[in-house]
Amino acid sequence: MPRSSRIAGLCTALLLLCIVGACSLDSAEEIPTVETPEAQSTIELTWPVYQGLDMVGFERARSRALDALLVQCMSRFGLDYPAPAYRADDSRDNRWDHHAYRRFGVDSMDEASNFGYINPSTVYFEEQKKQFDESVQFTPSHDLVMWGSEGKSTSDVDPNALGDDPESFNGVAIPEGGCIAQAYVELEGDDTPASMSMFSGDPDIIQGITLSASARFEEDDRVDEVNADWADCMSGKGYEYESWDDPLGTFTRENGAPTRKEIETATADVECKHEINLVGRLYAIEAGYQIKLIEERSIEIEEVRNWMDSAVRRYEDVAAG
């Protein structure tokens, strides 16, 4: 896949990020040099913008708090809501929650030999959601209270519970936007930085730096050098590609399962990535762009780090009831 095609999807995001102040690099000469690590997988590394941030702990604490609030809200209307515990399951594979999981495609031989290019976390969550949906019988009443009454037909809702007021259920006023909207408002907190607000409409600072650095990374000539080495390795194994992301989405699957051809290609892909240290080399390039952007917004990032620590404590209190 030509480099121009690879970066096409990032162009709009980069423009928006520059408008909101997430990027301001002027030239390649300004980019710090990062020592190239030896790494077989991205989960062995921590991207600079995530240094000191426990994103896994943060996201799981927020999921638990959100579910607790939804359970409380739905119960006020006499409706059961069994929280989908899989969203915050501590027993699941932590590699899936790593901030850079599969940043450069499949890099685990175990995953490649079992799933090809299929993301196993997607398989897991789809199966968990299916089991959850099958075990819980949501009614039109659940839908009304969870998401709010605006624009919804109430013809299938229990008329005894609805009464004469479509804005209430079982005599209790439905929050604007339903229980889900109310839960997010309660999770927000008065101390939330504007750059991390769920309601600001702007990309948060962590995402902003990540996407901006990624877009600039894609334009770096050193990336082409790494891709050329990977392509040479793949050619030696009988596969003709130009860059590591070329094989993605190119395979026809049998009932959703990877074919033998996909498995063989993915395992060759991982072998070549490991052989040329693709992950370590690409990380060093992208990390340099992140470091430069971090230097320019260090005060805001420190604010976010401090806020996340306090937010996790608040989420834990909410989940504990």
Side-chain angles (χ1 to χ4, degrees):
M1 182 186 296
R3 185 172 62 188
S4 58
S5 298
R6 295 202 313 271
I7 66 174
L10 290 167
C11 290
T12 301
L14 178 57
L15 176 60
L16 292 173
L17 291 167
C18 289
I19 291 173
V20 299
C23 61
S24 58
L25 303 184
D26 296 321
S27 66
E29 287 72 29
E30 297 180 6
I31 308 305
T33 299
V34 175
E35 183 177 353
T36 301
E38 288 288 336
Q40 294 192 337
S41 172
T42 51
I43 67 168
E44 300 171 20
L45 305 167
T46 300
W47 261 241
V49 74
Y50 289 98
Q51 291 283 353
L53 298 178
D54 179 11
M55 297 303 297
V56 173
F58 175 81
E59 293 296 343
R60 292 188 184 180
R62 183 160 61 179
S63 289
R64 293 189 187 97
L66 175 64
D67 285 337
L69 291 173
L70 291 176
V71 169
Q72 294 170 15
C73 182
M74 297 292 279
S75 68
R76 292 201 298 271
F77 297 88
L79 297 172
D80 290 331
Y81 175 74
Y86 68 87
R87 289 203 301 234
D89 181 10
D90 284 325
S91 67
R92 70 169 184 259
D93 195 336
N94 278 333
R95 66 181 291 120
W96 299 341
D97 296 305
H98 190 278
H99 57 268
Y101 175 59
R102 291 201 168 199
R103 169 64 185 91
F104 305 124
V106 59
D107 54 24
S108 161
M109 188 58 70
D110 179 63
E111 291 184 0
S113 60
N114 286 285
F115 296 93
Y117 287 98
I118 297 172
N119 188 328
S121 68
T122 301
V123 176
Y124 169 84
F125 283 112
E126 287 179 350
E127 180 59 31
Q128 290 294 315
K129 185 178 185 305
K130 179 182 178 182
Q131 292 179 14
F132 176 75
D133 291 343
E134 290 175 348
S135 67
V136 179
Q137 297 300 315
F138 283 114
T139 66
S141 298
H142 284 85
D143 187 56
L144 174 71
V145 174
M146 177 66 79
W147 301 101
S149 59
E150 184 176 356
K152 284 191 175 62
S153 169
T154 58
S155 59
D156 294 327
V157 177
D158 181 0
N160 294 320
L162 194 61
D164 297 327
D165 183 5
E167 302 296 324
S168 67
F169 185 86
N170 276 338
V172 180
I174 301 172
E176 183 179 356
C179 283
I180 189 72
Q182 178 176 292
Y184 275 119
V185 170
E186 292 183 41
L187 283 182
E188 179 80 345
D190 296 333
D191 63 338
T192 302
S195 62
M196 291 296 288
S197 172
M198 291 180 282
F199 308 106
S200 67
D202 293 332
D204 66 62
I205 188 171
I206 304 300
Q207 180 191 40
I209 288 175
T210 300
L211 291 177
S212 180
S214 178
R216 295 177 180 278
F217 154 89
E218 292 286 358
E219 297 176 313
D220 194 302
D221 290 340
R222 293 172 293 173
V223 173
D224 288 339
E225 296 173 6
V226 178
N227 276 326
D229 290 344
W230 175 87
D232 286 344
C233 177
M234 289 293 282
S235 180
K237 296 178 183 293
Y239 302 95
E240 299 301 327
Y241 296 108
E242 293 182 12
S243 66
W244 64 265
D245 55 353
D246 278 356
L248 306 181
T250 61
F251 294 93
T252 300
R253 291 168 179 144
E254 300 170 353
N255 298 318
T259 61
R260 180 176 179 178
K261 178 181 179 182
E262 179 175 351
I263 294 287
E264 291 175 347
T265 305
T267 54
D269 179 355
V270 173
E271 287 174 354
C272 284
K273 283 174 179 168
H274 292 176
E275 182 176 321
I276 70 161
N277 191 28
L278 179 141
V279 168
R281 292 165 68 185
L282 294 184
Y283 165 86
I285 300 170
E286 188 166 58
Y289 287 102
Q290 284 196 7
I291 289 171
K292 180 59 180 177
L293 290 166
I294 290 168
E295 290 172 351
E296 297 176 353
R297 306 192 69 180
S298 58
I299 295 176
E300 294 167 89
I301 291 176
E302 186 61 27
E303 180 187 28
V304 167
R305 286 191 173 121
N306 293 334
W307 168 77
M308 286 181 67
D309 289 340
S310 64
V312 167
R313 291 192 292 271
R314 183 172 70 249
Y315 296 157
E316 289 173 345
D317 289 342
V318 170

